[in-house]
Amino acid sequence: MGRKRTIDRDELMAAIERVARRSGITGLSIDAVAKEAGISKSSVVYDCESKAGLLAAFIRHKMAQHQARFVEIRARREGEPNARLRALIDEYRRVPTDEELDMALLVSASMGEHAECREIMREKLASDAETVAAQAADRRRMLMALLTLHGMAFLEYFGFHRFDQETRDEILDELMAVAESDPGAAGD
C-alpha cells in the first residue's frame, strides 16, 4: 500500500516541527516532511508549495496557537485602559518553556532565510505596536513599555538571558504600573 495522499493540517505541522527539531531549518525539506508525515511529496507540495511555504505555514500555525491562548488573557482586560498592553504584560508573566525557546530559535532562523517568514512576524509586532499606541493617551510612554516588554521576551526567547521569577515579576509589575498610570487611555 502506498503513502496517504492527504493529511490533517495539524499532523502536517507536527511533522514539520519534528523534522525541524531533528535536522534544523537547513534539514527541513518537502521530501523530509513528506517522509515524516507518511504522505506523498505531491501532497506536501500541494499544501505548501516550497520550503519557504512550509516555514510560513508552520509560523502561521504556531502564531494561531499562540493567539488562541492569548484570547482568554485579552478578554480579562477588555474595556480597561491600555487593554492590549496590560494583556501582553499578563502573558509574559508565564515563563517560556524550553520547547517554546527552541521553537523561537527555529522561527528566527527561518526569518533569516525567507522574506515571507519575516513579514508574518513583522505584521504581528506592528499590530501590537499600533494597537498599544491607539489605546494610549501617552503613546510614547506606552510604546516604550511595549519595547521593554518585547526586549525582555527577545532576550529570553533567543537564549541570551533568563530572568529569575523575582526579577521577572518586578519588571512586569513596573510595566503594569506604567500601563495603569496612563490617564485617559482607551480600552479594547
Side-chain angles (χ1 to χ4, degrees):
M1 183 169 177
R3 291 182 175 198
K4 295 183 292 184
R5 294 187 51 82
T6 60
I7 188 170
D8 175 85
R9 190 75 168 168
D10 288 337
E11 289 179 40
L12 180 61
M13 295 301 114
I16 293 169
E17 184 168 342
R18 287 191 301 271
V19 171
R21 282 184 182 281
R22 185 175 54 244
S23 306
I25 295 299
T26 56
L28 185 67
S29 69
I30 289 175
D31 285 327
V33 170
K35 183 177 178 183
E36 182 71 28
I39 61 172
S40 69
K41 179 179 174 181
S42 61
S43 293
V44 178
V45 170
Y46 178 79
D47 277 1
C48 299
E49 296 179 5
S50 64
K51 179 179 177 177
L54 283 174
L55 290 166
F58 181 69
I59 291 171
R60 283 189 184 98
H61 176 74
K62 285 297 189 186
M63 302 251 334
Q65 288 177 330
H66 170 79
Q67 283 302 111
R69 288 189 308 267
F70 189 56
V71 165
E72 182 183 320
I73 295 169
R74 257 192 4 238
R76 287 193 310 258
R77 294 294 185 174
E78 192 173 326
E80 294 179 359
N82 294 310
R84 176 64 64 92
L85 180 58
R86 289 179 182 203
L88 288 168
I89 293 167
D90 289 343
E91 177 185 24
Y92 285 127
R93 289 201 184 273
R94 187 183 59 76
V95 177
T97 65
D98 289 339
E99 179 180 305
E100 290 169 328
L101 298 175
D102 290 345
M103 282 298 97
L105 291 174
L106 287 171
V107 168
S108 177
S110 70
M111 288 188 296
E113 290 184 26
H114 303 286
E116 183 178 4
C117 295
R118 276 190 307 277
E119 185 60 18
I120 294 167
M121 294 304 294
R122 188 203 66 73
E123 286 175 4
K124 168 63 176 118
L125 294 173
S127 172
D128 281 349
E130 289 166 6
T131 303
V132 166
Q135 292 178 345
D138 185 346
R139 295 180 54 197
R140 185 183 65 78
R141 194 162 172 239
M142 294 311 110
L143 288 172
M144 286 175 53
L146 179 65
L147 177 60
T148 302
L149 189 61
H150 280 307
M152 180 181 177
F154 289 151
L155 285 173
E156 288 194 328
Y157 278 101
F158 296 129
F160 297 124
H161 184 73
R162 295 291 298 259
F163 293 91
D164 63 79
Q165 192 63 50
E166 182 179 349
T167 303
R168 167 186 230 84
D169 288 341
E170 288 171 353
I171 291 168
L172 294 173
D173 288 347
E174 287 185 36
L175 290 175
M176 190 63 79
V178 168
E180 291 170 346
S181 71
D182 190 23
D188 252 357

